[in-house]
Amino acid sequence: MATSSTPARRTVAVIGGGAVGVATASFLLRDGHDVVLIEQYGLGEGASFGNAGVFAPSSIVPMSMPGTLAKVPGYLLDPLGPLSIRWRYVPTLAPWLMRFVKAGTQDGVRAQARALTPLLHDSYGAWLPLVRNAGGEDLVRRDGFLAVYRTQADFEGDALGYQLRRDNNVAFEVMREDELWQFEPSVSHDYTIGVLFPQAGNTVNPKRLVRTVGEQFLRDGGRLVKAQARGFAREGARLKGVETDAGLIPADAAVVAAGAHSRNLCAALGDDIPLDTERGYHVLIADPDTMPRRPILDASAKFVSTPMETGLRMAGTVEFAGLEAPPNWTRADYLLTLGRRLFPGLAPAYPESRVSRWMGFRPSMPDSLPVIGRAGATPDVVYAFGHGHVGLASAARTGMTVADLIAGRPPAFDIAPFAPTRF
Ligand SMILES: Cc1cc2nc3c(=O)[nH]c(=O)nc-3n(C[C@H](O)[C@H](O)[C@H](O)COP(=O)(O)OP(=O)(O)OC[C@H]3O[C@@H](n4cnc5c(N)ncnc54)[C@H](O)[C@@H]3O)c2cc1C
């Protein structure tokens, strides 16, 4: 019999085997549910494959800030700039973009940063129970996260971001010139200011992290079905199962954690959620000539370089082109050019056999907040997607929160800002 600490056992289908789905499935299993993970490809093959691997409380700063719009023309004109748009996609993107601009007010960004804080403040610690249970301690590190700036003007341009961090108790230390160069010798002396976020951690392999936790979920009794979810079978407001290309998977609760592909699944339940994708790229150099000691955000050029177990990964850029257009690999090559500026110790060229490129779909909401909450048509379906730039970091805390909702426990923090109905 269920007690107040042991929720009633349900059969829960989690759609999506990325960081969010795997973490959520693992926490649901800990609650004693019968959990089936539905993934169309393999675990950790989506956006969770190729990200920068950073768990940083400092990432509470939203993407749409006051003044972001004014910077867009400059970003677009600079081939090495952090933003690109396929013009054919603009009509589709327009409503999302309007909401994005509307989100970037002083009051808006203060509320968004406040809302993101409980998801991110201990993003490293939130992953630990899953990592330890899976014996994956070698996958995570806690050496902090360093943002570097070329100029004082660049640094001052981020003043509101630092104010938001101060307001939400995110620790940071500013370093200048010699102090920075001694602290992180791999960085070019063209960078004169560094900001260390000491609470941050990272994984040395995001895909292996998701896989390792996912494989432990299976060893602990979870199930995995390789199938594409298409919709939901219901009797009135009660869920009967998830419809997939491999047939009906019976379940009395479900979680939509399909990342950037979640929108159609919500539409199947009558919810119109403004989810789009900010496509991002990485380039990875195996066995590079220099390696930073910790992840570094080039805050002037806006990309992150992370020491991975497989090499040095430079990840970033935002490309608006939807889910169908093929990758534009020059975006990844620009990251290599930018990486050479940041790390003068990198060789001028590497053989192609040592360079790999990747593109992935960030699941992005216009207000930089994920969707965590129940579907309109049935309380049995919980949404957990739209984590944009911070989905790896916030996956474990999201999983705990979804487990609370499925168990009928009050979540540990206010989830109203993440409501599916907020638009
Ligand atoms: C370049 C780049 C750098 C980044 N750096 C960081 C970082 O340093 N830190 C951080 O926290 N975040 C970072 N992110 C963001 C992070 O990668 C994403 O927010 C996160 O991976 C989203 O996880 P997810 O589980 O929601 O989605 P995904 O990892 O995309 O997983 C969704 C899964 O659902 C499956 N799926 C979709 N539809 C269906 C269906 N109908 N049926 C069955 N399965 C389905 C997909 O196959 C996929 O496996 C970065 C992103 C990019 C692109």
Side-chain angles (χ1 to χ4, degrees):
M1 198 174 116
T3 65
S4 57
S5 58
T6 314
R9 182 176 160 91
R10 302 176 78 177
T11 299
V12 189
V14 178
I15 305 167
V20 174
V22 164
T24 300
S26 302
F27 282 112
L28 286 166
L29 197 65
R30 287 180 161 225
D31 269 351
H33 300 296
D34 171 24
V35 186
V36 54
L37 193 51
I38 305 172
E39 165 56 50
Q40 57 188 347
Y41 304 126
L43 299 183
E45 295 289 343
S48 302
F49 178 101
N51 56 61
V54 179
F55 313 121
S58 55
S59 306
I60 58 166
V61 178
M63 296 310 292
S64 177
M65 294 282 282
T68 301
L69 191 60
K71 294 181 189 156
V72 165
Y75 288 160
L76 291 176
L77 287 171
D78 178 0
L80 296 178
L83 176 66
S84 76
I85 298 182
R86 303 266 174 102
W87 295 108
R88 229 172 303 147
Y89 194 63
V90 170
T92 309
L93 186 67
W96 188 98
L97 271 183
M98 277 154 65
R99 288 184 166 120
F100 177 85
V101 172
K102 217 172 126 194
T105 61
Q106 291 278 348
D107 287 349
V109 300
R110 280 179 213 286
Q112 291 146 23
R114 209 168 36 244
L116 283 171
T117 296
L119 274 184
L120 288 169
H121 80 277
D122 188 23
S123 38
Y124 175 86
W127 268 103
L128 278 187
L130 302 182
V131 168
R132 288 195 178 128
N133 185 43
E137 287 89 341
D138 63 317
L139 278 158
V140 292
R141 290 185 186 166
R142 194 171 211 171
D143 297 325
F145 182 39
L146 181 68
V148 295
Y149 293 85
R150 294 171 85 88
T151 65
Q152 178 70 20
D154 287 352
F155 180 47
E156 285 169 6
D158 279 352
L160 177 57
Y162 288 100
Q163 190 55 51
L164 295 176
R165 291 170 180 131
R166 255 184 235 109
D167 292 347
N168 292 287
N169 300 316
V170 176
F172 60 88
E173 300 156 25
V174 179
M175 308 173 194
R176 290 180 190 271
E177 302 193 341
D178 282 340
E179 195 188 350
L180 166 64
W181 303 328
Q182 275 166 28
F183 184 73
E184 193 51 75
S186 61
V187 165
S188 158
H189 289 197
D190 290 340
Y191 291 77
T192 58
I193 298 167
V195 183
L196 177 69
F197 300 102
Q199 299 155 316
N202 69 288
T203 175
V204 295
N205 190 332
K207 175 186 167 169
R208 192 161 76 80
L209 174 69
V210 174
R211 279 264 163 110
T212 301
V213 171
E215 284 161 8
Q216 186 62 42
F217 159 81
L218 297 178
R219 281 195 293 275
D220 288 343
R223 293 180 284 142
L224 175 65
V225 173
K226 189 169 178 187
Q228 185 180 65
R230 302 247 164 103
F232 302 89
R234 285 185 291 142
E235 252 175 43
R238 296 316 330 175
L239 186 75
K240 292 288 154 194
V242 175
E243 286 160 356
T244 76
D245 59 355
L248 180 76
I249 296 176
D252 49 39
V255 180
V256 177
H261 297 86
S262 300
R263 190 170 184 162
N264 288 346
L265 290 165
C266 303
L269 289 170
D271 289 319
D272 179 17
I273 306 224
L275 174 74
D276 213 293
T277 180
E278 294 169 87
R279 296 150 57 116
Y281 290 80
H282 86 220
V283 62
L284 183 131
I285 306 171
D287 194 19
D289 297 83
T290 188
M291 197 68 145
R293 293 174 178 165
R294 56 185 58 71
I296 300 184
L297 165 68
D298 181 332
S300 295
K302 308 213 179 305
F303 71 101
V304 175
S305 302
T306 303
M308 296 285 179
E309 62 184 2
T310 46
L312 175 58
R313 175 175 294 177
M314 282 146 301
T317 84
V318 166
E319 181 184 57
F320 288 112
L323 293 167
E324 305 299 334
N328 171 7
W329 294 120
T330 55
R331 298 297 299 164
D333 289 331
Y334 290 149
L335 289 167
L336 195 51
T337 306
L338 293 168
R340 286 209 180 84
R341 287 188 188 171
L342 177 60
F343 303 116
L346 286 178
Y350 284 95
E352 273 303 303
S353 57
R354 279 166 61 190
V355 179
S356 57
R357 296 166 183 80
W358 170 86
M359 188 274 286
F361 301 104
R362 293 185 191 90
S364 298
M365 298 296 292
D367 58 0
S368 302
L369 301 180
V371 174
I372 305 174
R374 294 183 198 280
T378 164
D380 296 334
V381 178
V382 174
Y383 297 151
F385 59 82
H387 296 74
H389 293 242
V390 297
L392 182 76
S394 53
R397 189 64 63 192
T398 298
M400 291 178 199
T401 307
V402 171
D404 287 339
L405 290 175
I406 298 276
R409 291 185 299 255
F413 53 86
D414 180 20
I415 60 164
F418 309 126
T421 49
R422 66 186 185 269
F423 289 97

